[in-house]
Amino acid sequence: MPEQSARELPRDALWELARAERAALADDLGGLDDEQWGRASLCGAWTVEDVVAHLTAAASVGRVRWIASVLAARFDFDKHNERRKAQYLGATPAQTLAMFTAIIPSKVAASGHTAAWLGEVIVHGQDIRRPLGLTRVPSIDATTAVAEFYASRDFTVPSRTLIKGLRVEATDGPFATGAGPLVSGTTLALTMAMAGREAYCADLVGPGVSTLRDRILAS
């Protein structure tokens, strides 16, 4: 039986996929030592623990609190993210993990773009796992939903802009979009590249990869 198209997935199904990804990440985090918690992630200057705290914040702050936080930061989104991350950073990694575990079933979000919040845990989960040498491939339904969302608009990352004028095709699922020089690879690798993670360009093939890599580095 073919998997359901991501565009047809109802919101509750997307939240269930997010819950599953959070639960899987919590399982992986439970085996980390202090050195691993302090290791650099793929997310800028943030450590593994910083990224986990950010994920907790994203699942804890609804629209009204998010708007208030952004206004208080004078629309400086880096400052906003740092403040919210600090709020959910425990005194120890164990406390940080406990706060993250508590939000596994959360459906709280700053907007109704559910695929974006599924993308938040998929992308940041890989930001954590790749530097640690951990491997998880989310379901095709999950990665396709996020890839389609990223290809449709620039939301928190310039994902649509990054692939403009390129043909992007998944080798393991139905995701395909655009026209131009080809970029192909797994849906997860394409999703991570659209999220601006240059490291994942090494997992892609095709004449358009160099263009995509250059755009990521420029952004």
Side-chain angles (χ1 to χ4, degrees):
M1 179 179 177
E3 295 192 67
Q4 187 177 16
S5 168
R7 288 192 176 93
E8 297 174 2
L9 290 176
R11 181 169 292 179
D12 283 348
L14 292 172
W15 278 126
E16 177 55 28
L17 291 169
R19 186 208 62 76
E21 290 307 311
R22 290 170 182 158
L25 181 57
D27 285 344
D28 285 345
L29 294 168
L32 302 187
D33 59 28
D34 287 348
E35 183 275 329
Q36 290 172 310
W37 276 98
R39 196 171 297 180
S41 73
L42 295 184
C43 194
W46 282 357
T47 66
V48 167
E49 188 173 7
D50 289 333
V51 176
V52 174
H54 171 73
L55 284 171
T56 304
S60 303
V61 178
R63 187 178 309 223
V64 172
R65 289 180 61 200
W66 184 88
I67 292 171
S69 177
V70 169
L71 289 172
R74 298 177 182 270
F75 293 95
D76 183 332
F77 288 95
D78 288 338
K79 181 182 288 186
H80 156 76
N81 282 329
E82 286 291 338
R83 286 176 173 175
R84 299 288 69 77
K85 179 202 73 174
Q87 185 179 359
Y88 293 95
L89 197 62
T92 65
Q95 289 182 4
T96 300
L97 177 56
M99 285 189 280
F100 176 71
T101 301
I103 59 86
I104 286 174
S106 173
K107 295 182 180 180
V108 174
S111 76
H113 302 90
T114 310
W117 307 115
L118 171 59
E120 186 88 352
V121 65
I122 287 177
V123 170
H124 286 319
Q126 298 302 314
D127 285 339
I128 288 168
R129 290 187 177 100
R130 188 144 174 149
L132 293 172
L134 301 175
T135 301
R136 174 176 169 78
V137 178
S139 72
I140 290 297
D141 275 347
T143 52
T144 301
V146 178
E148 289 180 348
F149 181 84
Y150 284 176
S152 71
R153 72 193 73 193
D154 292 339
F155 190 62
T156 58
V157 291
S159 47
R160 183 179 182 183
T161 298
L162 287 174
I163 61 169
K164 184 177 181 181
L166 299 174
R167 174 63 179 176
V168 181
E169 291 184 1
T171 56
D172 61 346
F175 175 66
T177 189
L182 178 65
V183 177
S184 67
T186 66
T187 315
L188 179 60
L190 293 171
T191 298
M192 294 299 294
M194 285 190 286
R197 274 46 174 189
E198 187 269 338
Y200 280 81
C201 288
D203 300 345
L204 303 175
V205 297
V209 173
S210 60
T211 298
L212 178 57
R213 178 184 286 110
D214 289 346
R215 290 175 179 176
I216 292 171
L217 292 174
S219 68

